[in-house]
Amino acid sequence: SGDEGFTVALLERGHEGLRMGPRHIPLNAAFMNGTVEGEDVWIPMSSILGGQERCGFGWNMFVECLAEGRGVSLPAGSIGAARSVVAGVGAYSRVRKQFRVPIAEFGGIQEAMAKAGSDGLITIAGGDVMNAIVDNHEAPMVISSVMKQNCTERGRRIVECGMDIAAGSAICRGDKNYMGNAYMSLPIAITVEGANIMTRSFQIIGQGLTRCHPHMSDLLKALQLPPSEEKHGVKIFVKQFHKIVGHGITNFFGSVSRGVGATFSSATRSKTAYKNGDELLAYHEKQLLRLAANFALTADLCFTLGGRLKFEELLMGRLADALGAIYLGYATLHHYDRRRGIEGLEALTEHAMLRLEREAQEALYAASENFPGPLGPVASTVMKMGCFPLGGLTRPYSDPSDTLTKEVSRLLTTPSEIRDMFQEGIYSAPDGAVHQMTDLINALPICVEADKVATSLRREKREPTAEETNLIAKADALRDALIQVDVFEHATAEEAQPGYVRPALQGTEERFANLDKTVFREAA
């Protein structure tokens, strides 16, 4: 049993004839990869994964592992980054003061913090659903591509927001810097297991359009039937073609009706309606159904391109953005439904959903403005009529309000159940150990309480009690210690050697010696 061909075997590192080749160093991260070489390697059947029966099935195994792995492991890095940024940087923004005010009170910091928090919620929610899918022994190729591309991209944005907020403490290397390594290693997750630029602009829609369409797969199978079954194949083709046309017409009218209905519900919705969890779920589910109908219509119009579609990567990239936002929107609502009861989760979910809906809307609108191909103008007109029948009125989604952004930022930078949710699984050092993130998390409630006392003293124009004085002094001491960064006498071991002169200085000395000048002004 089994076949010749690509086969997977599991061998010990010291297996006879096996040689571990040189290693790459991808941005100094612990991401070990390189070549494995062998000569005259004898592999017993017992070492083949699945035994002799699975000989020749290596490609199938690799594709299944890729479909599962890239949807789990790489998004997990973004989830870890989200938890770290909210836990560490959120606390830092309250500990760090500028002009005697915690930087968490500055609008720019609030905007970055809220974006990091809502992107973090989106990645966590997406990861929960993807893990459940894999636990159910499924390997969804398209969904894993969406997770890999979308979540790693959000992870990059989360860490960039954290770097912007932490500023100097995030760029000075040393034990106190808990952001630098994550920032440096981000391009690895973006690049490996299908570079995002390729996954977004080719793979997601290129695979999804045929795999997920209810009739396209049968039509393609009809085209592949042997000549002896040509008549049967023609019947199947014609039947499926009619179904595809009918499917497109149904999607057009469904897109129009849902678009008008969703627009009306958006226009009449109160900005505080999200505080009611049931209304939050009902409203955003309706918007996602509308966007899904818009996407389905657009996918049908893509068939007007025929085989040219695979070369229209700008269009496929925009549709991948829309699909990713819709899928992660459903995941975010599912997360809220499972975790509801956490104080403040409504505000964070609302912030995330508003951003996702706007992302999907803008991606679809950009696609309608730039639909390619000989029939592009016709497809563009049909798409605009179906997705945005009333023009700008049926593009109702906008960024979260400043009020909501400030509320989300407050929840992420003060002790709250939302922060507790993000801190799940975060490493906490034992008492007495020096660990920057642990120390920041522990200092947060003390600094917040001290700020409340200081505000009360100014408002009441009175002197602090002994207890209040001690609290403020403790908070000030913590602040002073936690905003410090590491310093070094020498950047490298080579610089510590006696007589070492930096190459740039050495060249400068030689140049001045040749010029026979003593000061820069004379040399100039």
Side-chain angles (χ1 to χ4, degrees):
S1 58
D3 297 305
E4 292 185 0
F6 186 10
T7 301
V8 181
L10 187 62
L11 304 178
E12 296 287 345
R13 182 182 179 89
H15 191 87
E16 185 177 355
L18 194 66
R19 182 171 63 257
M20 305 303 291
R23 296 288 185 178
H24 304 292
I25 306 177
L27 298 179
N28 292 331
F31 192 90
M32 297 297 289
N33 62 341
T35 57
V36 179
E37 302 172 348
E39 185 175 348
D40 296 330
V41 180
W42 173 257
I43 301 176
M45 285 293 179
S46 59
S47 296
I48 294 175
L49 293 185
Q52 183 175 341
E53 295 180 357
R54 304 305 290 174
C55 285
F57 283 83
W59 181 252
N60 303 68
M61 294 180 182
F62 270 45
V63 170
E64 287 183 7
C65 286
L66 179 64
E68 295 180 1
R70 70 179 171 188
V72 175
S73 58
L74 295 174
S78 297
I79 293 171
R83 294 186 184 279
S84 298
V85 167
V86 171
V89 179
Y92 177 84
S93 68
R94 189 61 62 177
V95 169
R96 177 79 165 87
K97 281 190 172 184
Q98 191 74 32
F99 311 119
R100 298 183 180 181
V101 178
I103 62 173
E105 297 298 326
F106 297 169
I109 302 296
Q110 292 170 339
E111 182 180 27
M113 200 70 232
K115 285 182 178 179
S118 57
D119 273 334
L121 174 67
I122 292 166
T123 57
I124 291 172
D128 287 348
V129 174
M130 185 67 203
N131 291 342
I133 292 172
V134 173
D135 283 344
N136 201 35
H137 307 292
E138 298 178 29
M141 183 65 73
V142 177
I143 293 300
S144 71
S145 297
V146 169
M147 283 294 296
K148 190 274 173 181
Q149 181 268 326
N150 210 301
C151 288
T152 55
E153 186 60 43
R154 291 182 192 279
R156 171 156 58 183
R157 298 202 304 242
I158 290 167
V159 173
E160 286 174 349
C161 286
M163 292 288 292
D164 289 346
I165 297 169
S169 67
I171 65 172
C172 294
R173 299 288 285 165
D175 292 339
K176 293 182 178 181
N177 188 337
Y178 53 91
M179 292 292 298
N181 288 339
Y183 182 74
M184 184 180 293
S185 63
L186 271 171
I188 299 173
I190 297 292
T191 301
V192 300
E193 297 190 21
N196 281 7
I197 197 167
M198 182 274 291
T199 302
R200 172 182 176 270
S201 62
F202 183 78
Q203 188 173 358
I204 292 174
I205 299 301
Q207 289 183 338
L209 200 60
T210 53
R211 283 174 175 264
C212 303
H213 195 281
H215 309 299
M216 182 55 62
S217 180
D218 291 336
L219 185 144
L220 293 176
K221 289 177 181 178
L223 293 174
Q224 296 171 348
L225 289 175
S228 59
E229 300 182 40
E230 182 176 348
K231 290 185 178 181
H232 179 61
V234 170
K235 290 182 180 179
I236 296 177
F237 180 89
V238 172
K239 181 180 179 181
Q240 296 304 320
F241 178 77
H242 288 160
K243 286 184 176 180
I244 289 173
V245 173
H247 185 261
I249 295 173
T250 301
N251 283 337
F252 176 83
F253 288 106
S255 181
V256 171
S257 61
R258 285 180 175 172
V260 173
T263 298
F264 179 77
S265 64
S266 296
T268 57
R269 184 181 185 236
S270 166
K271 290 186 177 181
T272 58
Y274 68 86
K275 295 181 180 181
N276 182 307
D278 292 333
E279 291 187 13
L280 172 74
L281 288 171
Y283 170 77
H284 287 296
E285 186 173 359
K286 186 174 184 178
Q287 308 315 307
L288 291 179
L289 285 170
R290 175 261 172 98
L291 291 167
N294 295 162
F295 179 84
L297 171 62
T298 307
D300 286 333
L301 291 172
C302 286
F303 292 130
T304 62
L305 293 168
R308 184 177 171 178
L309 175 63
K310 62 184 178 183
F311 301 107
E312 299 296 346
E313 296 182 21
L314 294 176
L315 172 65
M316 290 196 289
R318 295 183 179 109
L319 296 186
D321 292 341
L323 177 61
I326 294 168
Y327 168 74
L328 290 171
Y330 277 111
T332 302
L333 291 184
H334 176 67
H335 177 274
Y336 173 77
D337 193 45
R338 289 175 52 246
R339 302 295 300 269
R340 63 192 305 177
I342 296 176
E343 186 178 357
L345 186 56
E346 288 79 11
L348 184 59
T349 301
E350 173 79 356
H351 194 279
M353 291 303 302
L354 291 177
R355 293 181 62 208
L356 287 169
E357 288 157 5
R358 181 172 175 80
E359 285 178 22
Q361 171 187 269
E362 295 307 306
L364 291 169
Y365 181 68
S368 71
E369 287 283 285
N370 299 276
F371 211 98
L375 298 176
V378 176
S380 175
T381 300
V382 173
M383 184 178 174
K384 288 180 179 178
M385 291 173 59
C387 297
F388 315 111
L390 302 179
L393 290 176
T394 38
R395 297 200 305 274
Y397 309 124
S398 59
D399 291 329
S401 67
D402 291 350
T403 300
L404 181 60
T405 294
K406 291 178 181 180
E407 173 63 14
V408 170
S409 177
R410 182 191 66 80
L411 290 167
L412 299 176
T413 59
T414 56
S416 65
E417 293 183 14
I418 286 292
R419 276 189 57 85
D420 293 341
M421 182 190 76
F422 275 99
Q423 288 172 198
E424 293 172 1
I426 290 288
Y427 171 76
S428 180
D431 293 341
V434 178
H435 184 256
Q436 186 73 357
M437 184 176 292
T438 302
D439 294 341
L440 282 168
I441 293 172
N442 293 337
L444 176 62
I446 298 172
C447 292
V448 169
E449 190 61 31
D451 288 342
K452 290 180 180 178
V453 170
T455 300
S456 175
L457 293 176
R458 289 193 297 271
R459 187 187 307 114
E460 298 172 8
K461 297 180 180 180
R462 63 177 178 83
E463 294 297 319
T465 65
E467 183 179 355
E468 290 171 336
T469 300
N470 291 335
L471 175 63
I472 294 173
K474 184 178 181 180
D476 289 343
L478 286 171
R479 284 191 161 105
D480 184 61
L482 290 172
I483 65 173
Q484 303 303 317
V485 297
D486 295 289
V487 292
F488 305 92
E489 291 291 339
H490 305 287
T492 64
E494 185 180 8
E495 289 186 17
Q497 300 300 318
Y500 175 81
V501 179
R502 294 180 183 176
L505 295 179
Q506 186 176 10
T508 302
E509 289 180 357
E510 292 174 357
R511 179 167 178 255
F512 274 99
N514 294 333
L515 290 173
D516 193 27
K517 302 295 182 181
T518 58
V519 294
F520 280 101
R521 183 171 63 253
E522 294 177 7

